[in-house]
Structure formats: structure tokens, C-alpha cells
Amino acid sequence: VQDQQVITRKRLRLKPARWIAAAVLAAVLAAAGYEGWLLFAQHRRDVAAGQALDAAKKYILVLTSVDANAIDKNFTEVLDGSTGEFKDMYTKSIAQLRQTLIDNKAAAHGVVVDAAVQSAGDDKVDVVLFVDQSVSNGAVPTPQMDRSRVKMTMEKVDGRWLASKVDLP
């Protein structure tokens, strides 16, 4: 009987220790899960930022390179790579812009000098690009260099990164 009382006392002393250990383990696992979730969310933003930056660099070349002999192809590519506010604005100005470029025999070629992500979410990324653009036309056939800073908002639409806003500050 005395041995059984000793065993019962030991079990009673161990129960609180077990509950405390279980609570500490649960807290550690919860914290690790939360940290893992934060890490995964950051990873998703980093992937989105990289994809959007690559798309923005390619798109700015389409936007800043113009050949009066292939103007319709260029406009189609510009519209294909855009969405939202920018696509609406560009669509409204195509007719006038097309005629101006053809009348002036305009040509331009853009080169990305540098680019960086300003802010990133899972499906919306703001990018800043520094672009050198050589521009010539019928009146000034020797190409002139134009250096621009462009802020572009890229949005993921149906799995593609498209320009939704383009600013030339």
C-alpha cells in the first residue's frame, strides 16, 4: 500500500510538468508555423517581384522602340502587354499617335540602363526603370539620346505580368 501511495504521488507531480511541457511545445510549434508562413509569404513576394521586373524590362523595350514601317505591329505589342488605366489611355491615343509617327518618319530604340523593384505584392509590383532611348525622325535623321526614368505598375492578370500604369515623372 505504501508503495502505491508513493507511485500515486509521483504521478501527481508529473502531470503538471507534462502539461507545461505540452504547452511549451504547442507554443514553439505555433511560433514556428507562423514564422514559416511569414517566410513563405516573403518568398511569394520575392518571386512576384522578380517575374514582374523581368516583364517590365521586356515591356519597356516594346514601349520605347518604334519603327514607322512596323507601327501597327508595335501598337499591337504595346496593347498586348498592358491592362487597366494604361491600356485605356493608350487605346484612346493610338490613332493620333500613329499618324504623327508616320508623318514624321519617327524611329526610336530603347535600352534599359537599370531597373529596380520599388514595392511588391503577390499580384501587383511597382518598378522603376532607367531607359536610354535613341530617337530620330525625318527632320532630325541623326539619332538623339533621351534619358528617362519610368515608374511602371505591373499587375498579374491570368498568369501574365502586364503594365497597368506608366509614369514618366
Side-chain angles (χ1 to χ4, degrees):
V1 174
Q2 194 174 20
D3 287 337
Q4 202 164 10
Q5 287 176 347
V6 170
I7 292 172
T8 303
R9 274 189 246 139
K10 283 184 181 179
R11 282 187 188 159
L12 288 174
R13 276 187 263 150
L14 289 178
K15 279 189 178 183
R18 285 182 184 166
W19 283 108
I20 291 171
V24 168
L25 179 61
V28 167
L29 289 175
Y34 179 69
E35 288 295 322
W37 177 78
L38 288 176
L39 217 63
F40 182 67
Q42 182 61 48
H43 171 72
R44 280 194 336 252
R45 283 190 301 275
D46 290 345
V47 168
Q51 291 173 347
L53 182 62
D54 287 344
K57 286 178 182 179
K58 290 175 186 168
Y59 186 69
I60 197 69
L61 296 179
V62 170
L63 199 57
T64 59
S65 298
V66 177
D67 180 0
N69 297 323
I71 198 80
D72 292 327
K73 179 180 180 263
N74 181 253
F75 284 156
T76 299
E77 290 173 348
V78 169
L79 290 174
D80 183 55
S82 63
T83 189
E85 177 186 321
F86 181 68
K87 187 172 190 169
D88 294 342
M89 184 272 309
Y90 199 83
T91 300
K92 290 176 185 171
S93 65
I94 282 180
Q96 182 181 0
L97 181 59
R98 182 181 187 282
Q99 197 56 52
T100 301
L101 293 171
I102 291 171
D103 290 347
N104 291 301
K105 298 178 184 148
H109 178 72
V111 176
V112 177
V113 175
D114 201 5
V117 172
Q118 190 174 31
S119 65
D122 291 344
D123 57 1
K124 186 175 182 181
V125 177
D126 289 320
V127 177
V128 177
L129 303 114
F130 295 91
V131 181
D132 283 352
Q133 183 183 33
S134 62
V135 181
S136 63
N137 59 45
V140 184
T142 305
Q144 304 294 311
M145 187 61 65
D146 181 26
R147 291 190 161 89
S148 303
R149 179 180 68 137
V150 180
K151 183 178 177 188
M152 190 179 299
T153 300
M154 303 297 289
E155 290 187 27
K156 195 168 192 177
V157 178
D158 296 330
R160 294 178 60 213
W161 286 98
L162 305 174
S164 64
K165 189 173 183 184
V166 178
D167 289 326
L168 297 164

